[in-house]
Amino acid sequence: MVMLAQYQNKPINLSNKWNKSTNFTGIPVIDLSYPDDAKNLMVKACQDYGFFKVINHGVPLRLATELENETMRFFNMSQSEKDKYCSPSPFGYATNTIGPNGDVGWVEYLLFASNNIPTNSKTFSSLAKEYVEAVRKLGCEILELMADGLKIEPKNVLSRMLSDEKADTVFRLNHYPPCPNHPSTSYGWNPIGFGEHTDPQLISIARSNTTSGLQICLPDGTWVPVPPDHTSFFINVDDLLQVMTNGRFKSVRHRVIADRMKSRVSMIYFGGPPLMEKISPLGSVMEQGEESLYQEFTWFEYKACTYRTRLADDRLSFFHKGSHPLG
C-alpha cells in the first residue's frame, strides 16, 4: 500500500507578495494568428512552465461573456435553490468540498461531462454547449501546433483524442465568493480557493473574469500570480501530456487564492482521451536509445488513481518506471 501525502489547505500570507524568480519574465503569450511562430513558442512554454496564454484564439468574446453572465445567475441564487442540484458524483453542484478525500476550498462549482450539460435553463445549456464545442476546437488546434512544434507525426497524434466521440472531457464552472469575514483575513492571510494541484488530463483551457487569484508554481518552487485577462485563454499542460512527451512538457502545479472583496468566476475545459486509451511516451518524441520514464497505463486507470488520492498528491509518481502501482 502506498502512503499518500497529508495535505491541508492552509491560508496564504500575501503580505510579503511573491519571491521573484530570476529567470521568470512573465506568463508566455502566444498569438495563434501566427502559427509558424506559435508552434515553437508553445513548445518552449510547455517545456519551461507547462503554462501559457493564447490570444487571437477565435472563440467569440460575446459567447464567453454571455455564458459567464448566465453562470453568475446560477451562483447568485439562494443556497436552498442551488442545493436542489445533486451533489457531484462526480457531476453536479457542490460547495467547499473538492473531491471525495477531504480536500476543501473557498469555492462553489458546477461540474459537467462536456457532452451532457443538463440544467433547468435552456439558455445556459445552449450557451455552454456552444462554448464547449468552440473550446474543444481550440484545444485540437493547440495540440496540433504542439505536435508540429515537436516535429512528430501524424499531426493529429494528440488532437485525435479530443476529437474522438468517446473522449472523456469535463467542463467546470468555479465561483470564488468574496471572503471579507473569513477568520484568516484578520491575520493578513487569504484563504485557499482551490488548493495546489496538477490537472490529470491532457490539456486544460481556462478563462476567468477580471478578478485575480490564479497562481502557478515555477520549476524552482516559486509561486507567481497570473494576471487575469477575460479576453484570452490560459492553457495548462496536464499529467497525460507530460507522460506522452516523456517529461519534456511539464504538468503545471497551480492553485487559486480567494479575494477578500471581489468575486472570481472561472470556466475550465478539461480535455481527456477515451477511457481505455493507452497512455505512454510517444515513440516519435523519443530520441534513439532514450528510455521511457513511465509505465504504460490507460486513462481509466489514471483517472481511478485521482479519485483515491488527495488534491496535492503527485499522482504521476505512482506510474514512474520502478515505482509500485497505487493499491
Side-chain angles (χ1 to χ4, degrees):
M1 177 69 71
V2 175
M3 295 299 293
L4 304 182
Q6 295 299 309
Y7 176 71
Q8 292 180 331
N9 275 333
K10 295 181 179 179
I12 301 298
N13 189 340
L14 301 182
S15 59
N16 296 322
K17 301 299 181 183
W18 297 268
N19 295 327
K20 298 294 183 181
S21 178
T22 54
N23 297 322
F24 183 69
T25 57
I27 303 299
V29 179
I30 297 176
D31 188 341
L32 295 184
S33 63
Y34 298 96
D36 288 341
D37 293 331
K39 65 184 181 182
N40 297 318
L41 293 172
M42 203 174 284
V43 168
K44 180 170 174 51
C46 291
Q47 292 173 334
D48 290 348
Y49 308 117
F51 186 84
F52 56 92
K53 180 170 83 171
V54 293
I55 60 175
N56 293 320
H57 44 71
V59 179
L61 179 60
R62 167 207 60 81
L63 175 60
T65 301
E66 289 181 6
L67 180 57
E68 179 186 315
N69 292 339
E70 285 297 313
T71 299
M72 285 309 300
R73 285 191 179 94
F74 173 82
F75 286 127
N76 286 334
M77 293 193 306
S78 67
Q79 192 61 51
S80 61
E81 285 294 313
K82 290 184 286 190
D83 286 340
K84 292 178 182 178
Y85 287 76
C86 62
S87 297
S89 57
F91 301 117
Y93 168 77
T95 181
N96 300 126
T97 300
I98 301 171
N101 298 312
D103 291 295
V104 296
W106 190 262
V107 64
E108 59 178 346
Y109 60 89
L110 285 165
L111 186 66
F112 300 109
S114 296
N115 61 356
N116 184 19
I117 305 179
T119 73
N120 292 334
S121 168
K122 291 183 179 179
T123 300
F124 175 89
S125 181
S126 175
L127 286 169
K129 289 176 182 177
E130 183 182 356
Y131 179 88
V132 164
E133 178 57 19
V135 175
R136 184 194 65 79
K137 289 180 179 178
L138 173 61
C140 289
E141 178 185 356
I142 288 169
L143 288 172
E144 291 185 2
L145 285 170
M146 289 179 180
D148 201 9
L150 288 168
K151 298 180 173 58
I152 57 178
E153 294 289 346
K155 184 179 179 180
N156 71 341
V157 66
L158 299 172
S159 65
R160 66 171 181 80
M161 289 183 277
L162 297 194
S163 300
D164 194 302
E165 63 180 13
K166 295 181 180 179
D168 183 38
T169 59
V170 175
F171 186 46
R172 185 181 186 112
L173 301 131
N174 291 329
H175 176 230
Y176 303 91
C179 50
N181 299 317
H182 192 281
S184 62
T185 61
S186 302
Y187 303 96
W189 296 73
N190 281 49
I192 290 288
F194 210 108
E196 65 173 270
H197 64 287
T198 61
D199 294 334
Q201 290 89 352
L202 277 168
I203 189 175
S204 303
I205 304 174
R207 184 258 183 199
S208 75
N209 65 356
T210 58
T211 302
S212 61
L214 177 62
Q215 300 178 357
I216 64 169
C217 187
L218 302 184
D220 65 3
T222 302
W223 286 96
V224 296
V226 177
D229 181 354
H230 71 288
T231 67
S232 303
F233 287 92
F234 294 94
I235 311 302
N236 291 9
V237 170
D238 293 353
D239 293 349
L240 300 189
L241 194 52
Q242 177 172 319
V243 172
M244 297 185 76
T245 60
N246 208 34
R248 287 167 173 78
F249 288 2
K250 306 302 181 185
S251 184
V252 62
R253 186 162 287 267
H254 53 290
R255 67 188 183 190
V256 174
I257 309 302
D259 192 280
R260 300 183 193 184
M261 303 307 297
K262 293 188 291 184
S263 174
R264 183 177 191 272
V265 60
S266 61
M267 306 184 293
I268 311 101
Y269 171 87
F270 298 97
L275 285 172
M276 300 314 297
E277 183 77 27
K278 292 181 179 179
I279 304 299
S280 63
L282 295 169
S284 53
V285 169
M286 298 168 67
E287 298 176 358
Q288 186 174 2
E290 181 180 348
E291 294 188 2
S292 170
L293 299 177
Y294 303 95
Q295 306 168 33
E296 183 179 84
F297 55 87
T298 65
W299 167 230
F300 177 84
E301 291 170 326
Y302 194 70
K303 188 175 182 180
C305 175
T306 68
Y307 287 123
R308 288 181 283 172
T309 52
R310 298 296 298 272
L311 190 62
D313 286 328
D314 179 8
R315 295 176 294 265
L316 280 181
S317 65
F318 303 125
F319 296 87
H320 285 156
K321 284 224 170 150
S323 68
H324 297 286
L326 181 65

